Amino acid sequence: MENGFPDVREEGALRVPVTDADRVEVRFAPVLSRDRFDPNDWRRETLDPVPDATDWYEVDVNGLDLPDGRYEYEYVVHRGDDDPVVAADPFAEEITRFRGHRGTFRIRHGERYRPSFSWEDELPEGGLPENNELVIYELPLRWAAPASPMNEKRNVPDGDFEHLLTEHLDELAELGVNAIELLPIQDAAVTLDWGYGTRFFFAPDLDFGDPIDAKFLVKECHKRGIRVLMDVVMNHARECPLEVLAGDTFFLDPEEKSDRPDWGGRRFDYEVFVDGYHPAREFLHRMAEFWIREYHVDGFRIDEFKGMDNWEFVQEFRDRTRAAHREAFPDRPFLVVAEDSWGRTRIVRDVEGNPEDRTVVDGMWNFDFRDESRRLLRDEIDTELGEPSRSDRIRALISGDRTWDDTDRKFEEGFTDLSQAVNYVTSHDMGQRGEQRLMNYVFGELVRERGLGDGSVENVKYLLDNLVTAAPGVRIDAHEEAVDRVRGSFALLLTSVGIPMFLTGEEFGDVHDLDYTDWQLKMEDPVDWSRRDYPGHDALPEGVGDLIDLRTSTAALQRNEVEFFYEHPTLDDEDGVRAFAYCRTGGRELGSEDQVVVVANLGPEGFEAFDIPWPWTDTDRIEERGDPIRGTPPEFVPEEEGATLSLSPFQVRVFTT
């Protein structure tokens, strides 16, 4: 027992917290006796109070003389004259679903056991990538399968562990990503959404597979050098058995006024203190430690950090999980990332005012990068007299040393190390115009500008699915430009200072099929994997993959240094040329070998021959990466003191030296 919180994983023991109970029973039956399903007729055993643990009860199933097999079980709680309350085990590691959800345990030779799993040969030669080497692929697991038609208007995604493993994992490894961030995979109460309302915190979602399936997926990811990051929801739970067993101990009163959102669930109470510990905090700590030990996960992404509004708990969570991971896997990297929509970068730094003046989490989602990069990609960075210039904002975006507050129109403190910022241009978290998939964002705007339609979801989908794919001779210039601008967004993302992350489907320019502003439909809008083969889109993964390879193999991109060596004289003018160039120097003098050079023209004017300074004299070493898709092969001519290159409108070119 640690801090008064019993060990719920002790062999043979079933332990559960229950408040105000006169008696607690467990009832159970072999799963194979389902043909006589009647829980009221199942065998029952009374639980005893756990010594020195307030409101905890236990039973040792090893002492029940049970035949071998798998058993489903649930608790029956007696409180006064009220009807008994029936609840599943909130600590269940494996669940079953038949007229309700229940935990299961297994008996072999009279004792409880957990199915064994071999982690032999788990790691590749060289181990797993460090945090500064990561390229993260964000994936709602349901999107790993083709959609199943439900009716004329909706498709229902039903991906699972097997779909990701058998249909996409090798492709992702070939693309070059070395980390997958899985949206919540713990069992959730709602079937069709993304899982942001966990019910059983210790069990994989039944719709995804069983514990062995989940472990096998993690192992296969690791064998390919891909780390697995889990998205965890700790602000609230939905239909969690803890609510009926010990709701007042673990959760806030549903009627209590609070700025914390409940998202249709019940908010955890981090302040209740019992026997020297905070029950809700300890429950969530134990949950994370369990997934580290049993599933070998490599880090966590904390959902709804702003809503949780308890930095002390989150800091404890970081400390506890890092310690558990270090004990289990001392030679492996680990990462705890928070999603703070208020963009408070102080949470990743040791600063006065944080709990104990220490870092709260290792890294955070960089909302500012999403918003500023999208403005940059459409030449919508506007400035007023007295505000920071456009060039200042571009430098801050690429370097991450400052973040932009578009409400107060000023810079805020940024990041001191690239591993503190998870940069992205698109994530699953889209609900407003401007947050949609990149092809919708870019192509939809071009469609409106050029009179091809209104740029709506339906309009863009029609143009791609009908005109673009109609025949080789059908060509839409706006579409070709949009695809190259998506490639350009990856060029910026993968050469900026930070950990790059992108949403599944962006690597081949997928678009929405349903209304992304509808909170339910956006979760039911799966990736259309067939669009990988669309004209133009089929070339995009090759360029993206080359840029990912550059990011994961180049030391200069795994350090913090960046130097802007060219800005067009009119860059800051209202109608100026939006051309600039920067170098990821690797800490060496500009003009050295093994540096990465980015030349960008993020404005509507194109140039057949554009002159820039070029201090790299060994021109034989110059190589372009992630080649532009648009038009004829672009020109690049290095000269004695400069270089001349072609730059199409809104084009980004990347070179190594």
Side-chain angles (χ1 to χ4, degrees), residues 224-244:
R224 292 163 174 79
I226 298 173
R227 286 171 59 182
V228 178
L229 310 179
M230 274 184 62
D231 198 338
V232 288
V233 184
M234 302 191 295
N235 174 68
H236 58 281
R238 188 181 300 175
E239 299 181 20
C240 179
L242 280 174
E243 293 185 44
V244 296

Side-chain angles (χ1 to χ4, degrees), residues 445-456:
E445 182 67 16
L446 291 174
V447 165
R448 283 189 293 272
E449 290 176 353
R450 300 179 187 183
L452 299 174
D454 61 5
S456 64

